Amino acid sequence: MGLSAALLAWSAVAGAHAEAEQASRQALERYGGEVTRACVALREIEPGDEISEGNVKVVEWASSLMPEGALTSMGDVSGLVATARIPAHAPLAEAHFLQDDRSVQVPRDTVAISVACDAQHAVGGSLTRGDEVDVYVSDASRADRLTRAEVLDTSVSANGGGDLSWVTLAVDASAVGEVLAATTRGEVTLVLPGTVASREAVGSAEADNKGGEG
């Protein structure tokens, strides 16, 4: 059974290589002109698939059919991870591997939420991706710490500048309801632990709490 499986796998790979060679010959016969080398998908490649000799082959291709940013050697593509679907027998191009810097990667077991927040309530607007902050909500009489969160994005980063108007946070899934409810009953303040700004904010919050209790 093991030998049969190996033979089937080898046959599938050999068949894919033959199909890629055939697609190359058909392109050259139909369009002619100058010939160049191209990395061609042996099968359909899905986003997240890693490129290797198992799914890509370098063949001769009609220069007139090469896409912009075409990749021409295994050294260019080996180990890359596709970010877009690549059809079977299509030449690989840089566009198939573009990384979207605007995409938000949400850590496991957390939820991404955006809260309205100006610079005055977010360490002067200096927060950047990856910062860990304490989320406080305050009203006229008191301030309460809700949870620890990670900054995923800010309006300043998204817009390339300007005034801070919102911050996207990764919060523990169990704290989402509390944070969302807090945004409707008071003002959210983001405190950066371990800095002078955060200690001043914590001190102010504690003072407000004592004043409210008195």
Coordinates of all heavy atoms in Angstrom, one line a residue, residues 123 127 131-136 145 147-149 190-199 202:
V123 N -2.1 58.9 25.9 CA -0.7 59.2 26.0 C -0.2 60.2 24.9 O 0.8 60.0 24.3 CB 0.1 57.9 26.0 CG1 1.5 58.1 26.6 CG2 -0.6 56.7 26.7
L127 N 0.7 56.4 20.8 CA 0.5 54.9 20.7 C 0.8 54.4 19.3 O 0.4 55.0 18.3 CB -0.9 54.5 21.2 CG -1.3 54.9 22.6 CD1 -2.7 54.5 22.9 CD2 -0.3 54.2 23.6
D131 N 1.9 48.2 21.2 CA 1.9 48.8 22.5 C 0.8 48.0 23.4 O -0.3 47.7 22.9 CB 1.6 50.3 22.6 CG 2.7 51.1 22.1 OD1 3.9 50.6 22.1 OD2 2.5 52.3 21.8
E132 N 1.2 47.8 24.6 CA 0.2 47.2 25.6 C -0.3 48.3 26.5 O 0.5 49.0 27.1 CB 0.8 46.1 26.4 CG 1.0 44.8 25.6 CD 1.3 43.6 26.5 OE1 1.5 43.8 27.7 OE2 1.3 42.5 26.0
V133 N -1.6 48.5 26.6 CA -2.2 49.6 27.4 C -3.2 49.0 28.4 O -3.7 47.9 28.2 CB -2.9 50.6 26.4 CG1 -1.8 51.2 25.5 CG2 -4.0 49.9 25.6
D134 N -3.4 49.8 29.4 CA -4.5 49.5 30.3 C -5.7 50.4 29.9 O -5.5 51.6 29.6 CB -4.1 49.9 31.8 CG -3.2 48.8 32.3 OD1 -3.3 47.7 32.0 OD2 -2.3 49.2 33.1
V135 N -6.9 49.8 29.8 CA -8.1 50.5 29.4 C -8.8 50.9 30.6 O -9.3 50.1 31.4 CB -8.9 49.6 28.5 CG1 -10.1 50.4 28.0 CG2 -8.1 49.1 27.3
Y136 N -9.0 52.3 30.8 CA -9.8 52.8 31.9 C -11.1 53.5 31.3 O -11.0 54.0 30.2 CB -9.0 53.9 32.6 CG -8.0 53.4 33.6 CD1 -6.8 52.9 33.2 CD2 -8.3 53.3 35.0 CE1 -5.8 52.4 34.1 CE2 -7.4 52.8 35.9 CZ -6.2 52.4 35.4 OH -5.2 51.9 36.3
R145 N -10.4 50.7 36.0 CA -9.6 49.9 35.0 C -10.4 48.7 34.6 O -10.9 47.9 35.4 CB -8.3 49.4 35.7 CG -7.4 48.6 34.7 CD -6.2 48.1 35.5 NE -5.3 47.4 34.6 CZ -5.5 46.1 34.3 NH1 -6.5 45.4 34.7 NH2 -4.6 45.5 33.5
T147 N -9.4 46.5 31.6 CA -8.6 45.3 31.1 C -7.3 45.8 30.5 O -7.1 47.0 30.3 CB -9.4 44.6 30.0 OG1 -8.7 43.4 29.7 CG2 -9.6 45.4 28.8
R148 N -6.4 44.9 30.3 CA -5.2 45.1 29.5 C -5.5 44.8 28.0 O -6.2 43.9 27.7 CB -4.0 44.3 30.0 CG -2.7 44.3 29.3 CD -2.0 45.7 29.4 NE -1.7 46.1 30.7 CZ -0.6 45.7 31.4 NH1 0.3 44.9 30.8 NH2 -0.4 46.1 32.6
A149 N -4.9 45.6 27.1 CA -5.2 45.4 25.7 C -3.9 45.7 24.9 O -3.0 46.4 25.3 CB -6.3 46.3 25.2
L190 N -6.6 55.4 27.6 CA -5.6 54.3 27.4 C -4.4 54.7 28.1 O -3.8 55.8 27.8 CB -5.4 54.1 25.9 CG -6.7 53.8 25.1 CD1 -6.3 53.6 23.6 CD2 -7.4 52.6 25.6
V191 N -3.9 53.9 29.0 CA -2.7 54.2 29.8 C -1.6 53.2 29.4 O -1.8 52.0 29.3 CB -3.1 54.0 31.3 CG1 -1.8 54.2 32.2 CG2 -4.1 55.0 31.7
L192 N -0.4 53.8 29.2 CA 0.7 52.9 28.8 C 1.5 52.6 30.1 O 2.2 53.4 30.6 CB 1.6 53.7 27.8 CG 2.7 53.0 27.1 CD1 2.1 51.9 26.2 CD2 3.4 54.0 26.2
P193 N 1.5 51.4 30.6 CA 2.2 51.0 31.8 C 3.7 51.1 31.6 O 4.3 51.0 30.6 CB 1.8 49.5 32.0 CG 0.6 49.3 31.2 CD 0.7 50.2 30.0
G194 N 4.3 51.5 32.8 CA 5.8 51.5 32.7 C 6.4 52.8 32.3 O 7.6 53.0 32.1
T195 N 5.5 53.9 32.0 CA 6.0 55.2 31.6 C 5.5 56.2 32.6 O 4.6 56.0 33.4 CB 5.5 55.5 30.2 OG1 4.1 55.7 30.3 CG2 5.8 54.4 29.2
V196 N 6.2 57.4 32.5 CA 5.8 58.5 33.4 C 4.3 58.8 33.1 O 3.5 59.1 34.0 CB 6.7 59.7 33.1 CG1 6.2 60.9 33.9 CG2 8.1 59.4 33.5
A197 N 3.9 58.8 31.9 CA 2.6 59.2 31.5 C 1.6 58.3 32.1 O 0.5 58.7 32.6 CB 2.4 59.2 30.0
S198 N 1.9 57.0 32.1 CA 1.0 56.0 32.7 C 0.9 56.1 34.2 O -0.2 56.0 34.8 CB 1.4 54.6 32.3 OG 2.6 54.2 33.0
R199 N 2.0 56.4 34.9 CA 1.9 56.6 36.3 C 1.1 57.8 36.7 O 0.3 57.8 37.7 CB 3.3 56.7 36.9 CG 4.1 55.4 36.8 CD 5.3 55.4 37.7 NE 6.3 56.4 37.2 CZ 7.3 56.0 36.4 NH1 7.3 54.8 35.9 NH2 8.1 56.9 36.0
V202 N -2.5 56.8 36.2 CA -3.0 56.0 37.3 C -3.2 56.8 38.5 O -4.2 56.6 39.3 CB -2.0 54.8 37.5 CG1 -2.4 54.0 38.8 CG2 -2.0 53.9 36.3

